[in-house]
């Protein structure tokens, strides 16, 4: 089977996954709308704590009597929303820095490379934990730490693409014709980096969700009673033997969303990869 046939099969499989995930997300949004009107995610009912699933509480209640499904749906909005916010900030900061470093070179490029080398000397998770620990617990400080960690990846990728493109004739012609640096970025360079940025962002989306959830789990992110998935895992840990489903639900939600982000990343990588070679 040729490489192209394998790639097309992979794309079709990714589309099926995406359709299924989108359907689940739509159903989750509908369920959240009705459940949130019915239950308050922060309302405690100690007399009904650790209740089994029922018509009133489809996934039961937690150790404080709060509806698990309502908190799970609200956790989707918060966890995914925080991840989108951090990812968007990293892209907005990293892309312009990469464009400037690749086009201007000189002292701007040298300073950027030294900063980037410093961030890339350690794993993202380690830097995020250290920064969150120094800044103090809280979702705002955690998001700030994640943005500081992630923007470098986008800047380096954009810089690498720009350094390759500026050597080509069409950039030289654009400069001879008097186009400004901003016009060259907008008309000639951005179209070449959009695909790469989308692929990296889709893959980073799952990583950021894992970062937010894992650091919230150890107490450096969202604080109780915020219904964030990682914080829900931490709250459910003491009751794992009695009610293991309390940890299974948010854990499964994290797995599904991260898997969806990775499938989307694979699909976009195949779609925007223009260097694929077709072999018999």
């Amino acid at each position: 089977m040729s490489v192209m046939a394998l790639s097309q099969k992979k794309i079709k499989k990714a589309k099926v996954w995406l359709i299924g995930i989108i359907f689940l997300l739509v159903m989750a949004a509908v369920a959240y709308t009705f459940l949130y009107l019915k239950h308050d995610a922060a309302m405690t009912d100690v007399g009904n704590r650790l209740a089994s699933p029922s018509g009133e509480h489809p996934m039961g209640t937690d150790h404080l009597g709060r509806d698990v499904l309502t908190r799970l749906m609200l956790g989707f909005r918060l966890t995914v929303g925080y991840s989108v916010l951090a990812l968007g900030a990293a892209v907005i900061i990293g892309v312009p820095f990469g464009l400037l470093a690749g086009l201007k070179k000189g002292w701007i490029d040298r300073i950027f490379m030294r900063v980037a080398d410093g961030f890339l000397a350690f794993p993202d998770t380690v830097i995020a934990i250290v920064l969150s620990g120094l800044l103090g617990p809280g979702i705002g400080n955690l998001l700030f730490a994640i943005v500081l960690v992630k923007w470098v990846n986008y800047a380096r990728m954009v810089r690498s693409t720009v350094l390759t493109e500026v050597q080509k004739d069409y950039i030289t012609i654009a400069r001879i014709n008097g186009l400004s640096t901003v016009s060259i970025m907008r008309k000639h360079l951005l179209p070449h980096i959009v695909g790469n940025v989308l692929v990296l962002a889709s893959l980073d989306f799952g990583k950021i969700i894992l970062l937010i959830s894992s650091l919230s789990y150890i107490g450096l992110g969202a604080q109780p009673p915020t219904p964030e998935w990682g914080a829900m895992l931490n709250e459910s840990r003491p009751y794992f033997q009695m009610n293991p489903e309390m940890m299974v639900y948010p854990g499964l939600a994290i797995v599904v969303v991260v898997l969806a982000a990775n499938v989307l990343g694979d699909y976009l990588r195949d779609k925007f990869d223009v260097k694929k070679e077709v072999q018999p």
Side-chain angles (χ1 to χ4, degrees):
M1 186 179 292
S2 66
V3 174
M4 178 174 287
L6 286 172
S7 178
Q8 291 297 324
K9 184 177 180 180
K10 188 176 181 181
I11 290 176
K12 289 181 180 179
K13 185 182 293 185
K15 288 181 178 179
V16 172
W17 267 99
L18 288 176
I19 292 173
I21 296 300
I22 291 173
F23 174 76
L24 289 176
L25 295 181
V26 170
M27 294 299 293
V30 173
Y32 164 73
T33 301
F34 288 101
L35 284 170
Y36 192 62
L37 293 175
K38 188 176 180 180
H39 298 287
D40 186 346
M43 181 66 69
T44 62
D45 183 7
V46 180
N48 196 31
R49 62 193 301 268
L50 300 178
S52 302
S54 62
E56 180 72 12
H57 302 286
M59 288 186 176
T61 61
D62 64 6
H63 61 293
L64 294 177
R66 299 170 297 190
D67 185 74
V68 173
L69 184 55
T70 302
R71 291 179 61 79
L72 194 68
M73 294 299 105
L74 185 57
F76 169 80
R77 189 178 71 176
L78 295 177
T79 303
V80 174
Y82 291 149
S83 301
V84 171
L85 181 63
L87 183 62
V91 171
I92 291 173
I93 295 172
V95 170
F97 265 100
L99 285 169
L100 285 175
L103 270 178
K104 293 297 186 179
K105 300 180 183 179
W107 64 270
I108 295 178
D109 189 37
R110 289 194 295 271
I111 292 176
F112 164 72
M113 288 306 298
R114 300 293 77 78
V115 173
D117 290 342
F119 275 102
L120 295 176
F122 302 95
D124 292 352
T125 305
V126 173
I127 299 178
I129 290 175
V130 171
L131 290 175
S132 298
L134 292 174
L135 295 172
I139 192 63
N141 292 336
L142 175 57
L143 294 180
F144 179 72
I146 291 175
V147 172
L148 283 181
V149 169
K150 288 296 181 181
W151 75 270
V152 177
N153 297 330
Y154 295 91
R156 282 179 63 92
M157 182 199 66
V158 171
R159 172 185 176 274
S160 176
T161 303
V162 170
L163 288 177
T164 300
E165 294 298 322
V166 295
Q167 305 299 324
K168 297 182 179 180
D169 293 339
Y170 74 94
I171 297 295
T172 303
I173 295 173
R175 285 174 170 168
I176 293 174
N177 289 334
L179 263 69
S180 64
T181 300
V182 174
S183 297
I184 292 175
M185 289 180 184
R186 180 171 54 85
K187 294 181 179 180
H188 298 291
L189 294 177
L190 282 178
H192 289 278
I193 67 175
V194 167
N196 291 334
V197 170
L198 286 176
V199 172
L200 182 58
S202 62
L203 295 174
D204 259 350
F205 182 63
K207 296 178 182 178
I208 291 175
I209 288 179
L210 290 176
L211 267 178
I212 292 176
S213 299
S214 59
L215 294 186
S216 295
Y217 178 80
I218 62 176
L220 293 177
Q223 302 297 303
T226 304
E228 194 278 328
W229 287 341
M232 290 175 65
L233 283 172
N234 185 37
E235 291 179 346
S236 304
R237 182 170 45 85
Y239 308 95
F240 179 71
Q241 291 184 345
M242 293 183 295
N243 293 74
E245 64 275 7
M246 286 178 57
M247 293 192 72
V248 171
Y249 294 143
L252 186 59
I254 294 172
V255 170
V256 170
V257 175
V258 172
L259 179 61
N262 289 338
V263 171
L264 176 60
D266 290 340
Y267 168 71
L268 292 176
R269 183 167 51 195
D270 290 337
K271 183 176 179 62
F272 289 105
D273 185 10
V274 296
K275 298 181 180 180
K276 290 183 292 187
E277 296 180 2
V278 178
Q279 298 177 357

